[in-house]
Amino acid sequence: MKEIFEWNRLLFNDLPANFILEVIFRSTVMFVILLLTLKLAGKRGVKQLSIFETVIIIALGSAAGDPMFYEDVGIVPAAIVFTVIIILYRSVTWLTGKSKKFEEFIEGKTECLINDGKFSVATFKKESLAQDEFFSELRIRSIEHLGQVKHAFIETSGEVSVFFYDDNEVKYGLPILPAQFNKKSKIIENEGIQACTFCGHTEQQKPGIAKCEVCKNDEWVPAIKTLRIT
C-alpha cells in the first residue's frame, strides 16, 4: 500500500539522522547568545517594553531561531547580527539620554488621559486606546466612575497610572460600569446631574435634549458620586 506521506522527508527533510545532534548544538549555542544579549540589554518586564525594545526582541528572536535548525544558516553570521543589534541598541539608548526630542520620538511621552475627573479629549483622540479598553483598565482598579479619579496617565510603556481623590473630595462623575454606562441616551428623562458620555463633563440638566458645553456631544447618562471601595 502506498504511503500517504513521505515520512522521511516530512520529519527530517531528507537530512541525515546525525543532523539532530547538530540542531541540539545549534539551539544550545543560540540560547546562550540570546541570554547574554538580553543580559547586556538590561532588565525590563514585558509590560515595560517600549515599541523600540519590542522590535529589538522580535529581531533577536528571528536571528536566534533560524540558525537553530536551518543547516544553510551559520552560527557566526547570526552571532554578528546579535552583535550589531546590541551595538545599535546601546547607541539608541545613549542618544535617548542625550536628546529629549529623540527620546520622545523613540519612546513616546507620558500623556494625561483624565484631568480632574474628566477626559482630556484632545489627548484621548491621539492615543490608540479605545474607550472600552480604557474603562476596563480603570475597572480593574475598582474604579466605578470618573469622579473618583483625579488624574490618569498613559505611560510610555502603555500602562495606565491612576491618582485618586480622597473620599471627601470625590465628585459626581461618568459611571464606567457597563450596566450604568449603557443607560446613556440623547433624551434626558429626569432632572439631575448628568455626565457626558464622550468627555465625562458633568452638569445639572433638566429633562429633554442638551449638548455638552465642553465637547458638544449630546449623549448623557446619570452621574454618580459613590466612594471607591478599596
Side-chain angles (χ1 to χ4, degrees):
M1 183 178 178
K2 187 177 179 180
E3 292 185 349
I4 298 176
F5 299 111
E6 297 178 30
W7 292 106
N8 185 60
R9 181 185 60 80
L10 181 65
L11 297 177
F12 297 100
N13 196 27
D14 294 326
L15 293 169
N18 60 4
F19 184 67
I20 297 298
L21 297 176
E22 186 176 326
V23 169
I24 294 173
F25 175 75
R26 286 168 171 264
S27 299
T28 302
V29 172
M30 294 312 302
F31 176 80
V32 172
I33 292 175
L34 181 59
L35 190 63
L36 291 175
T37 303
L38 293 177
K39 178 70 175 177
L40 291 171
K43 297 178 181 178
R44 292 188 79 176
V46 174
K47 279 193 172 182
Q48 296 175 307
L49 293 179
S50 66
I51 294 174
F52 170 66
E53 288 167 326
T54 302
V55 170
I56 293 296
I57 296 298
I58 293 172
L60 291 178
S62 178
D66 290 351
M68 290 183 181
F69 55 88
Y70 287 132
E71 63 174 340
D72 57 341
V73 179
I75 292 178
V76 172
I80 293 173
V81 170
F82 272 64
T83 303
V84 172
I85 288 176
I86 199 64
I87 290 173
L88 290 174
Y89 176 78
R90 288 295 189 181
S91 299
V92 170
T93 302
W94 181 81
L95 283 172
T96 56
K98 294 294 182 179
S99 171
K100 186 66 177 176
K101 288 185 178 179
F102 187 76
E103 180 185 7
E104 289 182 359
F105 175 74
I106 294 295
E107 302 282 355
K109 61 180 180 178
T110 300
E111 298 280 4
C112 180
L113 295 180
I114 293 179
N115 187 36
D116 291 333
K118 303 173 186 177
F119 284 122
S120 298
V121 179
T123 302
F124 204 85
K125 283 182 177 179
K126 289 191 301 181
E127 298 300 326
S128 59
L129 198 64
Q131 190 183 61
D132 288 345
E133 183 182 356
F134 183 54
F135 284 175
S136 175
E137 291 277 352
L138 297 181
R139 288 194 294 266
I140 289 173
R141 293 167 171 79
S142 302
I143 297 168
E144 190 176 355
H145 62 91
L146 298 190
Q148 298 171 340
V149 181
K150 189 172 185 178
H151 302 295
F153 301 91
I154 183 166
E155 306 293 349
T156 57
S157 64
E159 290 191 284
V160 176
S161 301
V162 182
F163 298 85
F164 302 100
Y165 281 113
D166 291 334
D167 286 350
N168 60 344
E169 296 178 320
V170 170
K171 58 179 72 174
Y172 280 95
L174 172 68
I176 62 173
L177 300 184
Q180 295 170 310
F181 182 80
N182 290 336
K183 292 179 181 178
K184 61 184 179 180
S185 173
K186 293 186 177 182
I187 300 176
I188 300 171
E189 296 182 354
N190 301 306
E191 182 175 354
I193 298 178
Q194 302 287 322
C196 170
T197 58
F198 185 75
C199 71
H201 172 68
T202 57
E203 59 182 274
Q204 182 76 24
Q205 295 285 2
K206 294 181 180 180
I209 298 175
K211 285 192 174 183
C212 174
E213 62 183 31
V214 175
C215 68
K216 310 307 178 184
N217 179 60
D218 59 355
E219 276 193 332
W220 301 88
V221 67
I224 59 175
K225 195 183 178 180
T226 54
L227 299 181
R228 181 168 170 266
I229 300 174
T230 57

